[in-house]
Amino acid sequence: MTKIDLNCDLGESFGAYTIGMDEKVIPLISSCNIACGFHASDPLVMEKTVAMAKEAGIGIGAHPGYPDLMGFGRRNMNVSPAEAGAYITYQLGALYAFAKSAGVKIQHVKPHGALYNMAGKDYKLALAIAKAVQAFDPELILMGLSGSESVRAAEDIGLPAAKEVFADRAYMPDGSLMPRNMEGAVIHDEKLAISRVIRMVKEHKVTAADGNDIEIVPDSICVHGDNVKALEFVTSIRAALEAEGIAVAPLSEIV
Amino acid sequence: MTKIDLNCDLGESFGAYTIGMDEKVIPLISSCNIACGFHASDPLVMEKTVAMAKEAGIGIGAHPGYPDLMGFGRRNMNVSPAEAGAYITYQLGALYAFAKSAGVKIQHVKPHGALYNMAGKDYKLALAIAKAVQAFDPELILMGLSGSESVRAAEDIGLPAAKEVFADRAYMPDGSLMPRNMEGAVIHDEKLAISRVIRMVKEHKVTAADGNDIEIVPDSICVHGDNVKALEFVTSIRAALEAEGIAVAPLSEIV
Amino acid sequence: MTKIDLNCDLGESFGAYTIGMDEKVIPLISSCNIACGFHASDPLVMEKTVAMAKEAGIGIGAHPGYPDLMGFGRRNMNVSPAEAGAYITYQLGALYAFAKSAGVKIQHVKPHGALYNMAGKDYKLALAIAKAVQAFDPELILMGLSGSESVRAAEDIGLPAAKEVFADRAYMPDGSLMPRNMEGAVIHDEKLAISRVIRMVKEHKVTAADGNDIEIVPDSICVHGDNVKALEFVTSIRAALEAEGIAVAPLSEIV
Amino acid sequence: MTKIDLNCDLGESFGAYTIGMDEKVIPLISSCNIACGFHASDPLVMEKTVAMAKEAGIGIGAHPGYPDLMGFGRRNMNVSPAEAGAYITYQLGALYAFAKSAGVKIQHVKPHGALYNMAGKDYKLALAIAKAVQAFDPELILMGLSGSESVRAAEDIGLPAAKEVFADRAYMPDGSLMPRNMEGAVIHDEKLAISRVIRMVKEHKVTAADGNDIEIVPDSICVHGDNVKALEFVTSIRAALEAEGIAVAPLSEIV
């Protein structure tokens, strides 16, 4: 049976501040990426989010980011590969402790925001991240953008890699995401977005920006749960996948 | 053979800021408490400090503190037991990751500064800390002030506890430390301080502030390595211990 | 004409995180306390909040807090008077810059959360805060709990002080607030709360916990704007005040 | 009489951490750039540093940086011009408050580290910074690298600008600094460095990397005070300047 993972960022609240509708999106997804305190989250939020993910039986991932709470980890920071590796180790360990104390395993690591984007294009940075994950636990899966340097670096060192795709984004002929500042980068037509996802999962193909089909073999689809519209979209994607006989399953059953 | 542990705080540098003479004090001690990023340290410093401790073969301890970098974790903060427990889990996990990636074990946990002091007097806080440590790994040793609530809480739940003493501090008749704002709280006479430590280790006795002897069974002596004078004092204590036939050994060989 | 100020905390959002319904509450109040980046807020939020307050013509206050973003400044921290004074100066200056750049004045300073509560009971802390405000600008008004050490310290050094009251809180016979952990500390009956406020404003009297009337001369009433129910309560208070012929006016017209 | 300013970063200590030999370098310089709490410093350090600068009678500058304490503000961060402007306003206001409370004026603003470097090459960023300074106080001097976008942006909006030069750095034919990763970027020969500085100040000329002379009109020379060697170099520069009949004077007497 064809399987695909649906992953969503969770645990982004911080202190008195709430972001996300975690309780609502958890039943719709198979894996979650839990923020680790650098770009979002705090120890109490991490503890609670791990408990919710355990209860729901979804795959737990560490979601480490840049040390930029004010910018939510979305601003490029020129950290060295050595710094990035140490930041990954630190945050991964912090989440690991909550998981271990709760009696669950960590399934994967997905860098957040600008760190995800920068590592996707910078092999040295991607390699430092992959090595940090591998040094901690060589069985962890590193999730990266399909076709990115992150996936390449993980594969180069023998670390399990998961290829992530986006339902609502256009792809360039080389398999990279169309930059957000280009016309047509975001697909606003939900039906089109869902049909593209279904085709990626079933046929391993997507129509790129130049009109030609390119090959893409997704392991996980990135979804969002921070507003009502996003939740409806996840519900639609999930229904469409199941209608096509595709099982939604955590990464650990796929990679 | 009688054994005693000498422990010292390490890895307190942060970014461009340096504190401590870690390389100098490491050869003199048997266990270290490595700061975990809340009151001091950063991921690169933690990685480097774990590597140095591994190289020297000394016992590695997590040294979690309050989230108060500006105050170096020395200011009382009214955090709830639940918050304290989560802060311990987070920081312990972060250090664990550097230790695991380096192929070494964590031996103990010693809360830092104001957290150490508050937990020493507040059983609920102490219990939350002990439970957080135990939930992560029930074989870790929790280091607390001899006679404190921290030691009592650990013992109550069956977590290994190490009793810490101070060479240069006076003790009250009930075995607690004389508060620093009292006359005579700090013993400035080095010879006296050392002879008191030797007696604690050999005879399990110390003369309290009222002139009577009280029983004290130390597992570890707290020393400092942040200035030249402190290093000389550690050297003197170590020489005196060895002259008395007392072995300096990590906590894991004692508790 | 009798006048009273209605003050509310504003600008507590931070980066990607939103707290409060600032746009909704602004038309209902006469003064605002703008967070200054230590316990909440960031520079962009401060800039935007000052612009909104200027547009509405309400009195602008600095709302400095403890450096504890994770705890929203609500946890007691044992900072020294010298530290507290410097934290006030820093945050007050930061807000002043946004006000000056926008062409408006700062009317008052109201410490936030645990700093407000601690200063209310600790004269040394209160004095350090009052002196910091006075050193920056002796015409600024320091807002403190009616009957608190904060008000006393300000008056002792000749700094204008504003006495704040709470509509929904019970008062002890000595004029202090009943602690929240005591039965009856919060008045849930809205009508009762409003009638007590009206009486405080008009008659300078409130019935204390022992059933006897005490004198209280309020300059400002603290209200909240972070949820729909709070907004409704502010609307009710304001309507009741106006029905009684009491004008809602900024502190600068009262103190 | 020919005049030149010698400026040095001060007040970079933070909490328990010390950086710099501020007391030693102050007598050698005419202006200082005081860190404002984002990349370094804290409120107590700012208060103390302003007091020392006032006592010495040197020009006081705000030294705002990126919100990156862990990286000491030396890492490029992709903040928007709006964010940068607000960060400048915030930090400038914070320092202003300490200056005002101490009864002294702020003379200039010099962005720190990566913010200085990025603004030097990015006109939009430079313009946002210059406008933020001007909105707060149009008489403040913005210090920027000679020939940089920072100076250009300030001049474009009529904000006083000071052109800074480096004694120990090579210059490209277009007047920009040779990047540090290029061979010969740093001039290690102290005598050569000093003679170049003297020539810049007296003749407004420096020999660029291609061997040709370019025009450069310095207002201030950047020096360092964080180690003994740096202090000796400042002493040498100052002596050489005075031997040439050049007065060392704060920016306010030059721009």
Side-chain angles (χ1 to χ4, degrees):
Chain A
M1 188 179 185
T2 306
K3 289 179 180 176
I4 191 75
D5 177 50
L6 289 183
N7 82 81
C8 182
D9 298 350
L10 295 187
E12 296 184 326
S13 295
F14 172 80
Y17 296 97
T18 300
I19 280 189
M21 303 170 74
D22 290 5
E23 291 85 349
K24 296 272 173 62
V25 80
I26 284 178
L28 301 172
I29 59 176
S30 44
S31 291
C32 65
N33 319 301
I34 301 180
C36 299
F38 270 38
H39 72 279
S41 197
D42 66 42
L44 279 181
V45 169
M46 290 168 72
E47 188 173 59
K48 183 186 163 193
T49 310
V50 165
M52 289 196 302
K54 177 192 178 188
E55 171 79 17
I58 59 176
I60 291 173
H63 198 41
Y66 282 126
D68 179 22
L69 190 63
M70 203 187 280
F72 206 66
R74 287 176 177 152
R75 305 186 290 202
N76 287 356
M77 283 184 75
N78 192 22
V79 308
S80 69
E83 289 170 326
Y87 295 172
I88 294 290
T89 303
Y90 184 97
Q91 295 178 76
L92 174 50
L95 187 71
Y96 170 82
F98 289 106
K100 175 145 194 299
S101 295
V104 285
K105 288 207 162 188
I106 291 190
Q107 168 191 262
H108 72 280
V109 177
K110 175 181 167 181
H112 167 81
L115 182 56
Y116 178 92
N117 293 331
M118 290 187 82
K121 293 172 199 159
D122 178 342
Y123 185 78
K124 279 186 188 169
L125 184 60
L127 191 64
I129 292 170
K131 284 185 172 173
V133 173
Q134 189 177 52
F136 181 68
D137 181 352
E139 295 187 3
L140 286 171
I141 301 165
L142 180 64
M143 193 188 293
L145 180 66
S146 172
S148 70
E149 296 297 293
S150 292
V151 170
R152 189 159 77 89
E155 290 175 346
D156 283 354
I157 63 168
L159 180 73
K163 292 180 281 291
E164 181 176 45
V165 295
F166 293 82
D168 63 346
R169 294 291 298 276
Y171 280 85
M172 303 298 281
D174 66 354
S176 66
L177 281 185
M178 183 183 287
R180 278 185 182 272
N181 58 357
M182 285 178 67
E183 180 77 22
V186 176
I187 295 166
H188 297 287
D189 178 341
E190 280 203 9
K191 285 193 183 164
L192 175 60
I194 290 173
S195 70
R196 283 167 61 94
V197 158
I198 299 289
R199 193 167 171 235
M200 282 193 243
V201 176
K202 291 187 73 166
E203 302 177 25
H204 297 172
K205 284 200 161 49
V206 72
T207 305
D210 65 354
N212 293 320
D213 280 356
I214 57 172
E215 191 188 80
I216 203 158
V217 185
D219 296 311
S220 188
I221 303 167
C222 180
V223 297
H224 300 285
D226 47 351
N227 59 65
V228 172
K229 192 150 174 282
L231 288 174
E232 288 171 358
F233 188 52
V234 186
T235 306
S236 300
I237 287 187
R238 187 168 181 124
L241 289 167
E242 289 172 350
E244 293 283 339
I246 301 162
V248 173
L251 269 189
S252 55
E253 299 180 19
I254 294 171
V255 175
Chain B
M1 188 181 185
T2 305
K3 289 179 179 177
I4 192 74
D5 178 49
L6 290 182
N7 82 80
C8 182
D9 297 350
L10 295 187
E12 295 184 326
S13 294
F14 172 79
Y17 297 97
T18 301
I19 281 189
M21 303 170 75
D22 290 5
E23 290 85 349
K24 296 272 173 62
V25 80
I26 284 178
L28 302 172
I29 58 176
S30 44
S31 291
C32 65
N33 320 301
I34 302 180
C36 299
F38 270 38
H39 72 279
S41 196
D42 67 42
L44 279 180
V45 170
M46 290 167 72
E47 187 173 60
K48 184 187 164 194
T49 309
V50 165
M52 290 196 302
K54 177 193 178 185
E55 171 79 19
I58 58 176
I60 292 174
H63 198 41
Y66 282 128
D68 178 21
L69 191 63
M70 204 186 281
F72 207 67
R74 288 175 178 156
R75 305 186 290 201
N76 287 356
M77 281 184 78
N78 192 21
V79 307
S80 69
E83 288 170 328
Y87 294 173
I88 294 291
T89 305
Y90 185 97
Q91 295 178 75
L92 174 50
L95 187 71
Y96 170 82
F98 288 107
K100 176 147 195 296
S101 294
V104 284
K105 288 206 163 191
I106 291 190
Q107 167 191 265
H108 72 281
V109 177
K110 174 181 169 183
H112 167 82
L115 181 56
Y116 178 92
N117 292 332
M118 290 186 82
K121 293 171 199 160
D122 177 342
Y123 185 77
K124 280 186 189 169
L125 185 60
L127 191 64
I129 293 170
K131 284 185 172 175
V133 173
Q134 190 178 52
F136 182 69
D137 181 351
E139 297 187 1
L140 286 171
I141 301 164
L142 182 64
M143 193 188 293
L145 180 65
S146 173
S148 69
E149 296 297 293
S150 292
V151 169
R152 188 159 76 89
E155 290 175 346
D156 283 354
I157 63 168
L159 181 72
K163 292 179 282 292
E164 182 176 46
V165 296
F166 293 81
D168 63 346
R169 294 292 298 277
Y171 281 84
M172 304 297 283
D174 67 353
S176 66
L177 281 185
M178 184 182 288
R180 279 185 181 275
N181 58 357
M182 285 179 66
E183 181 76 24
V186 176
I187 296 167
H188 296 288
D189 178 341
E190 280 202 10
K191 283 192 183 164
L192 175 60
I194 291 173
S195 69
R196 282 166 62 92
V197 157
I198 298 290
R199 190 164 174 240
M200 282 192 243
V201 175
K202 290 188 76 168
E203 303 176 26
H204 297 175
K205 282 199 165 48
V206 72
T207 304
D210 64 355
N212 292 319
D213 278 357
I214 57 172
E215 190 187 80
I216 202 157
V217 186
D219 297 310
S220 188
I221 303 165
C222 180
V223 298
H224 299 285
D226 46 350
N227 60 64
V228 171
K229 190 148 176 287
L231 287 174
E232 288 170 358
F233 188 51
V234 186
T235 306
S236 300
I237 286 188
R238 188 170 180 123
L241 289 167
E242 290 172 350
E244 293 283 338
I246 301 163
V248 173
L251 270 190
S252 55
E253 298 180 20
I254 295 171
V255 175
Chain C
M1 187 179 186
T2 306
K3 288 180 180 177
I4 191 76
D5 178 50
L6 289 182
N7 82 80
C8 181
D9 298 350
L10 294 189
E12 296 184 325
S13 295
F14 172 79
Y17 296 97
T18 300
I19 280 190
M21 303 169 74
D22 290 5
E23 289 86 349
K24 296 272 174 60
V25 81
I26 284 178
L28 302 171
I29 59 178
S30 44
S31 291
C32 64
N33 320 302
I34 301 181
C36 300
F38 270 38
H39 72 278
S41 196
D42 67 42
L44 279 181
V45 169
M46 290 168 72
E47 187 173 61
K48 184 187 162 193
T49 309
V50 165
M52 290 195 302
K54 177 192 178 187
E55 172 78 18
I58 58 176
I60 292 174
H63 198 41
Y66 282 128
D68 179 22
L69 190 63
M70 203 186 280
F72 206 67
R74 289 178 177 152
R75 305 186 290 203
N76 287 357
M77 281 185 78
N78 192 21
V79 308
S80 69
E83 289 171 326
Y87 295 171
I88 294 290
T89 304
Y90 185 96
Q91 296 179 75
L92 173 51
L95 187 72
Y96 170 81
F98 289 107
K100 175 145 195 297
S101 295
V104 283
K105 288 207 163 190
I106 291 190
Q107 169 191 261
H108 72 281
V109 177
K110 175 182 168 182
H112 167 81
L115 182 56
Y116 178 92
N117 293 331
M118 291 187 81
K121 294 172 199 158
D122 178 342
Y123 185 77
K124 278 187 190 169
L125 184 60
L127 191 63
I129 292 171
K131 283 185 173 174
V133 172
Q134 188 177 53
F136 181 68
D137 181 352
E139 296 187 2
L140 286 170
I141 302 165
L142 181 64
M143 194 188 292
L145 180 65
S146 173
S148 69
E149 296 296 294
S150 292
V151 170
R152 189 159 76 90
E155 290 175 347
D156 283 355
I157 64 169
L159 181 71
K163 293 180 279 293
E164 182 176 45
V165 295
F166 293 82
D168 63 346
R169 294 292 297 278
Y171 281 84
M172 304 298 282
D174 67 352
S176 66
L177 279 186
M178 183 183 288
R180 279 185 181 275
N181 58 356
M182 285 178 68
E183 181 77 22
V186 176
I187 296 167
H188 297 288
D189 178 340
E190 281 201 11
K191 283 191 184 164
L192 175 60
I194 290 173
S195 69
R196 283 165 62 91
V197 158
I198 298 290
R199 193 167 172 237
M200 282 192 243
V201 175
K202 290 186 75 166
E203 302 176 26
H204 297 172
K205 283 200 162 46
V206 72
T207 306
D210 64 355
N212 292 319
D213 280 356
I214 57 171
E215 190 188 80
I216 201 157
V217 185
D219 297 310
S220 188
I221 304 166
C222 180
V223 297
H224 299 285
D226 47 350
N227 60 63
V228 172
K229 193 151 173 286
L231 288 174
E232 288 170 358
F233 188 52
V234 186
T235 306
S236 301
I237 286 187
R238 187 169 181 123
L241 288 167
E242 289 171 350
E244 294 282 340
I246 300 162
V248 173
L251 271 188
S252 55
E253 299 181 19
I254 295 172
V255 175
Chain D
M1 189 179 182
T2 306
K3 289 180 180 177
I4 191 76
D5 177 51
L6 289 182
N7 82 81
C8 181
D9 298 350
L10 294 187
E12 297 184 325
S13 294
F14 172 80
Y17 297 98
T18 300
I19 280 188
M21 304 170 74
D22 290 5
E23 290 85 350
K24 296 272 174 61
V25 80
I26 284 177
L28 302 171
I29 59 177
S30 43
S31 292
C32 65
N33 320 301
I34 302 180
C36 299
F38 270 37
H39 72 278
S41 197
D42 67 42
L44 278 181
V45 170
M46 290 166 72
E47 188 173 59
K48 183 185 164 196
T49 309
V50 165
M52 290 195 302
K54 177 191 178 185
E55 171 79 19
I58 58 176
I60 291 175
H63 198 40
Y66 282 127
D68 178 22
L69 190 64
M70 203 186 283
F72 206 66
R74 288 176 176 154
R75 305 186 290 202
N76 288 356
M77 283 184 77
N78 192 22
V79 308
S80 68
E83 289 170 327
Y87 295 172
I88 294 291
T89 304
Y90 184 97
Q91 296 178 73
L92 173 50
L95 187 70
Y96 170 81
F98 289 106
K100 176 146 194 295
S101 295
V104 283
K105 289 207 162 190
I106 292 192
Q107 168 191 263
H108 72 281
V109 178
K110 176 183 168 181
H112 167 81
L115 181 56
Y116 178 91
N117 292 331
M118 291 186 82
K121 294 172 197 158
D122 179 342
Y123 185 77
K124 280 185 189 170
L125 185 60
L127 191 63
I129 293 170
K131 284 184 172 175
V133 172
Q134 189 178 51
F136 181 69
D137 181 351
E139 295 187 2
L140 287 170
I141 301 165
L142 181 65
M143 194 188 292
L145 180 66
S146 173
S148 69
E149 296 296 295
S150 292
V151 170
R152 189 160 74 90
E155 290 175 346
D156 283 355
I157 63 169
L159 181 72
K163 292 179 282 290
E164 181 176 47
V165 296
F166 293 81
D168 63 347
R169 294 292 297 278
Y171 281 84
M172 304 297 283
D174 67 353
S176 65
L177 280 185
M178 183 182 288
R180 280 186 181 275
N181 59 356
M182 284 179 66
E183 181 75 24
V186 177
I187 295 167
H188 297 287
D189 178 341
E190 281 201 11
K191 284 193 183 163
L192 175 59
I194 290 172
S195 70
R196 283 166 61 93
V197 158
I198 298 289
R199 192 166 173 239
M200 282 192 244
V201 176
K202 292 187 73 167
E203 302 177 26
H204 297 174
K205 284 201 164 46
V206 71
T207 305
D210 65 355
N212 291 320
D213 280 356
I214 57 171
E215 190 188 82
I216 202 155
V217 186
D219 298 310
S220 188
I221 304 166
C222 180
V223 299
H224 300 284
D226 46 351
N227 60 64
V228 172
K229 192 150 176 284
L231 288 174
E232 289 171 357
F233 188 52
V234 185
T235 306
S236 301
I237 287 187
R238 187 169 179 123
L241 288 168
E242 289 171 350
E244 293 283 339
I246 301 162
V248 173
L251 270 189
S252 55
E253 299 181 18
I254 295 172
V255 175

PDB file of all heavy atoms in Angstrom, chain C residues 167-171 184-190 192-193 196:
ATOM      1  N   ALA C 167     -10.806  47.211  40.189  1.00  0.00           N
ATOM      2  CA  ALA C 167     -12.266  47.096  40.344  1.00  0.00           C
ATOM      3  C   ALA C 167     -12.658  45.723  40.880  1.00  0.00           C
ATOM      4  O   ALA C 167     -13.602  45.602  41.661  1.00  0.00           O
ATOM      5  CB  ALA C 167     -12.940  47.334  38.991  1.00  0.00           C
ATOM      6  N   ASP C 168     -11.932  44.728  40.495  1.00  0.00           N
ATOM      7  CA  ASP C 168     -12.381  43.362  40.779  1.00  0.00           C
ATOM      8  C   ASP C 168     -11.610  42.705  41.922  1.00  0.00           C
ATOM      9  O   ASP C 168     -11.583  41.484  42.023  1.00  0.00           O
ATOM     10  CB  ASP C 168     -12.261  42.507  39.515  1.00  0.00           C
ATOM     11  CG  ASP C 168     -10.825  42.378  39.056  1.00  0.00           C
ATOM     12  OD1 ASP C 168      -9.960  43.147  39.538  1.00  0.00           O
ATOM     13  OD2 ASP C 168     -10.549  41.490  38.227  1.00  0.00           O
ATOM     14  N   ARG C 169     -10.990  43.507  42.760  1.00  0.00           N
ATOM     15  CA  ARG C 169     -10.218  42.926  43.860  1.00  0.00           C
ATOM     16  C   ARG C 169     -10.722  43.427  45.211  1.00  0.00           C
ATOM     17  O   ARG C 169     -11.139  44.580  45.343  1.00  0.00           O
ATOM     18  CB  ARG C 169      -8.725  43.300  43.706  1.00  0.00           C
ATOM     19  CG  ARG C 169      -8.044  42.695  42.491  1.00  0.00           C
ATOM     20  CD  ARG C 169      -7.900  41.183  42.591  1.00  0.00           C
ATOM     21  NE  ARG C 169      -7.064  40.787  43.695  1.00  0.00           N
ATOM     22  CZ  ARG C 169      -5.728  40.758  43.666  1.00  0.00           C
ATOM     23  NH1 ARG C 169      -5.087  41.079  42.569  1.00  0.00           N
ATOM     24  NH2 ARG C 169      -5.050  40.373  44.730  1.00  0.00           N
ATOM     25  N   ALA C 170     -10.651  42.532  46.195  1.00  0.00           N
ATOM     26  CA  ALA C 170     -11.020  42.908  47.563  1.00  0.00           C
ATOM     27  C   ALA C 170      -9.847  43.602  48.248  1.00  0.00           C
ATOM     28  O   ALA C 170      -8.681  43.346  47.910  1.00  0.00           O
ATOM     29  CB  ALA C 170     -11.436  41.667  48.352  1.00  0.00           C
ATOM     30  N   TYR C 171     -10.173  44.472  49.198  1.00  0.00           N
ATOM     31  CA  TYR C 171      -9.144  45.221  49.923  1.00  0.00           C
ATOM     32  C   TYR C 171      -9.109  44.807  51.390  1.00  0.00           C
ATOM     33  O   TYR C 171     -10.144  44.537  51.995  1.00  0.00           O
ATOM     34  CB  TYR C 171      -9.401  46.724  49.800  1.00  0.00           C
ATOM     35  CG  TYR C 171      -8.930  47.278  48.475  1.00  0.00           C
ATOM     36  CD1 TYR C 171      -9.739  47.207  47.352  1.00  0.00           C
ATOM     37  CD2 TYR C 171      -7.660  47.833  48.348  1.00  0.00           C
ATOM     38  CE1 TYR C 171      -9.304  47.686  46.125  1.00  0.00           C
ATOM     39  CE2 TYR C 171      -7.217  48.320  47.139  1.00  0.00           C
ATOM     40  CZ  TYR C 171      -8.039  48.245  46.022  1.00  0.00           C
ATOM     41  OH  TYR C 171      -7.600  48.715  44.818  1.00  0.00           O
ATOM     42  N   GLY C 184     -12.154  35.020  48.348  1.00  0.00           N
ATOM     43  CA  GLY C 184     -12.812  36.310  48.171  1.00  0.00           C
ATOM     44  C   GLY C 184     -11.906  37.404  47.633  1.00  0.00           C
ATOM     45  O   GLY C 184     -12.313  38.566  47.552  1.00  0.00           O
ATOM     46  N   ALA C 185     -10.707  37.042  47.237  1.00  0.00           N
ATOM     47  CA  ALA C 185      -9.750  38.047  46.762  1.00  0.00           C
ATOM     48  C   ALA C 185     -10.230  38.703  45.468  1.00  0.00           C
ATOM     49  O   ALA C 185     -10.028  39.899  45.256  1.00  0.00           O
ATOM     50  CB  ALA C 185      -8.375  37.409  46.543  1.00  0.00           C
ATOM     51  N   VAL C 186     -10.862  37.906  44.609  1.00  0.00           N
ATOM     52  CA  VAL C 186     -11.356  38.442  43.339  1.00  0.00           C
ATOM     53  C   VAL C 186     -12.874  38.547  43.388  1.00  0.00           C
ATOM     54  O   VAL C 186     -13.564  37.609  43.804  1.00  0.00           O
ATOM     55  CB  VAL C 186     -10.927  37.539  42.160  1.00  0.00           C
ATOM     56  CG1 VAL C 186     -11.524  38.052  40.847  1.00  0.00           C
ATOM     57  CG2 VAL C 186      -9.404  37.475  42.071  1.00  0.00           C
ATOM     58  N   ILE C 187     -13.351  39.699  42.979  1.00  0.00           N
ATOM     59  CA  ILE C 187     -14.802  39.944  42.973  1.00  0.00           C
ATOM     60  C   ILE C 187     -15.345  39.572  41.608  1.00  0.00           C
ATOM     61  O   ILE C 187     -15.028  40.223  40.608  1.00  0.00           O
ATOM     62  CB  ILE C 187     -15.087  41.423  43.314  1.00  0.00           C
ATOM     63  CG1 ILE C 187     -14.606  41.694  44.744  1.00  0.00           C
ATOM     64  CG2 ILE C 187     -16.569  41.747  43.152  1.00  0.00           C
ATOM     65  CD1 ILE C 187     -14.548  43.158  45.086  1.00  0.00           C
ATOM     66  N   HIS C 188     -16.123  38.506  41.551  1.00  0.00           N
ATOM     67  CA  HIS C 188     -16.607  38.017  40.264  1.00  0.00           C
ATOM     68  C   HIS C 188     -17.926  38.669  39.850  1.00  0.00           C
ATOM     69  O   HIS C 188     -18.296  38.611  38.689  1.00  0.00           O
ATOM     70  CB  HIS C 188     -16.758  36.491  40.328  1.00  0.00           C
ATOM     71  CG  HIS C 188     -15.459  35.789  40.553  1.00  0.00           C
ATOM     72  ND1 HIS C 188     -14.493  35.692  39.574  1.00  0.00           N
ATOM     73  CD2 HIS C 188     -14.938  35.178  41.639  1.00  0.00           C
ATOM     74  CE1 HIS C 188     -13.438  35.048  40.048  1.00  0.00           C
ATOM     75  NE2 HIS C 188     -13.677  34.728  41.309  1.00  0.00           N
ATOM     76  N   ASP C 189     -18.604  39.284  40.825  1.00  0.00           N
ATOM     77  CA  ASP C 189     -19.882  39.939  40.527  1.00  0.00           C
ATOM     78  C   ASP C 189     -19.595  41.305  39.902  1.00  0.00           C
ATOM     79  O   ASP C 189     -19.160  42.241  40.557  1.00  0.00           O
ATOM     80  CB  ASP C 189     -20.658  40.104  41.857  1.00  0.00           C
ATOM     81  CG  ASP C 189     -21.993  40.821  41.660  1.00  0.00           C
ATOM     82  OD1 ASP C 189     -22.169  41.516  40.634  1.00  0.00           O
ATOM     83  OD2 ASP C 189     -22.843  40.693  42.547  1.00  0.00           O
ATOM     84  N   GLU C 190     -19.854  41.405  38.589  1.00  0.00           N
ATOM     85  CA  GLU C 190     -19.487  42.627  37.858  1.00  0.00           C
ATOM     86  C   GLU C 190     -20.182  43.863  38.398  1.00  0.00           C
ATOM     87  O   GLU C 190     -19.584  44.932  38.494  1.00  0.00           O
ATOM     88  CB  GLU C 190     -19.827  42.476  36.377  1.00  0.00           C
ATOM     89  CG  GLU C 190     -18.790  41.668  35.632  1.00  0.00           C
ATOM     90  CD  GLU C 190     -18.843  41.958  34.144  1.00  0.00           C
ATOM     91  OE1 GLU C 190     -19.530  42.913  33.721  1.00  0.00           O
ATOM     92  OE2 GLU C 190     -18.167  41.229  33.401  1.00  0.00           O
ATOM     93  N   LEU C 192     -21.272  44.440  41.381  1.00  0.00           N
ATOM     94  CA  LEU C 192     -20.652  44.818  42.651  1.00  0.00           C
ATOM     95  C   LEU C 192     -19.313  45.521  42.404  1.00  0.00           C
ATOM     96  O   LEU C 192     -19.019  46.574  42.995  1.00  0.00           O
ATOM     97  CB  LEU C 192     -20.445  43.567  43.519  1.00  0.00           C
ATOM     98  CG  LEU C 192     -19.701  43.792  44.837  1.00  0.00           C
ATOM     99  CD1 LEU C 192     -20.453  44.777  45.730  1.00  0.00           C
ATOM    100  CD2 LEU C 192     -19.503  42.459  45.582  1.00  0.00           C
ATOM    101  N   ALA C 193     -18.538  44.937  41.514  1.00  0.00           N
ATOM    102  CA  ALA C 193     -17.222  45.509  41.208  1.00  0.00           C
ATOM    103  C   ALA C 193     -17.376  46.951  40.724  1.00  0.00           C
ATOM    104  O   ALA C 193     -16.661  47.856  41.172  1.00  0.00           O
ATOM    105  CB  ALA C 193     -16.504  44.658  40.164  1.00  0.00           C
ATOM    106  N   ARG C 196     -18.442  49.342  43.453  1.00  0.00           N
ATOM    107  CA  ARG C 196     -17.321  49.645  44.340  1.00  0.00           C
ATOM    108  C   ARG C 196     -16.401  50.697  43.714  1.00  0.00           C
ATOM    109  O   ARG C 196     -15.942  51.630  44.389  1.00  0.00           O
ATOM    110  CB  ARG C 196     -16.518  48.370  44.647  1.00  0.00           C
ATOM    111  CG  ARG C 196     -17.213  47.465  45.669  1.00  0.00           C
ATOM    112  CD  ARG C 196     -16.592  46.075  45.687  1.00  0.00           C
ATOM    113  NE  ARG C 196     -15.193  46.073  46.071  1.00  0.00           N
ATOM    114  CZ  ARG C 196     -14.742  45.929  47.320  1.00  0.00           C
ATOM    115  NH1 ARG C 196     -15.597  45.766  48.306  1.00  0.00           N
ATOM    116  NH2 ARG C 196     -13.444  45.924  47.572  1.00  0.00           N
TER     117      ARG C 196
END
